[in-house]
Amino acid sequence: MRLPVAFVALLLLAGCDLFGESRPERVRARPVVTSSTAEGLADARGRWAEADLDDYQLEYTRACECLRAAAGPFLVTVEGGAVTEVEPLSGEPLPDGYEPFTVVRLFDAIDEAFDEGADAVDVVYDAALGFPVRIAIDYDARVADEELYLEVTGFERLDG
């Protein structure tokens, strides 16, 4: 028995939803601004200040020559501008003394790289709110493991 082409196409488009399993919802990409300058950082900080967000959740992952537990991913909850919870999404326990990144701490890391004369500072900022979405800092092109590469994989405003 041959199934009509339209029916087969409908099955393919419906995917698992036909059988009661749901597919993960796709997250729309947010507009971004890329900058490698201190002026770009200042502009992004200005957008963040204008947004006046003290309550949010930030999910990020680091690429580093470090323990898996220090790479993440992490879900950080910030309320009133202070970290209230850090959830390691890898299932690994938090490393002793781990200091999670907040948006302010991300800005400070970028600012420090400019102050220290890093060889390369490449940052992608959220166009609306200004927070860093991706940070790639290479302090010395001749050294292999002193870089910072961090990617924000989720951001949510919290209604207080």
Side-chain angles (χ1 to χ4, degrees):
M1 174 177 164
R2 293 181 128 195
L3 293 175
V5 174
F7 181 71
V8 172
L10 177 63
L11 283 175
L12 291 173
L13 288 173
C16 296
D17 289 341
L18 260 180
F19 304 103
E21 297 176 25
S22 62
R23 293 179 295 205
E25 207 173 295
R26 292 192 183 253
V27 177
R28 253 187 4 180
R30 297 172 64 104
V32 295
V33 174
T34 302
S35 178
S36 298
T37 66
E39 291 79 15
L41 171 61
D43 182 55
R45 276 191 174 188
R47 286 195 309 279
W48 179 252
E50 285 175 18
D52 195 28
L53 284 172
D54 289 327
D55 304 321
Y56 59 90
Q57 282 189 320
L58 184 70
E59 184 178 321
Y60 66 87
T61 303
R62 277 185 76 173
C64 59
E65 302 274 333
C66 57
L67 297 171
R68 166 124 173 81
F74 298 101
L75 179 63
V76 179
T77 303
V78 177
E79 295 174 304
V83 174
T84 57
E85 185 178 358
V86 181
E87 181 182 350
L89 300 178
S90 67
E92 303 267 342
L94 283 174
D96 289 339
Y98 183 76
E99 192 175 331
F101 283 95
T102 62
V103 171
V104 171
R105 188 160 172 245
L106 292 173
F107 283 135
D108 290 346
I110 298 163
D111 197 31
E112 182 179 300
F114 285 124
D115 287 349
E116 292 183 11
D119 282 348
V121 179
D122 296 307
V123 185
V124 176
Y125 300 98
D126 181 85
L129 300 176
F131 65 87
V133 175
R134 190 176 319 118
I135 301 171
I137 298 171
D138 189 356
Y139 288 95
D140 186 339
R142 299 168 295 171
V143 178
D145 64 352
E146 93 309 353
E147 298 94 356
L148 169 65
Y149 182 84
L150 186 141
E151 186 167 357
V152 171
T153 54
F155 180 86
E156 182 179 346
R157 295 175 188 238
L158 298 179
D159 296 327

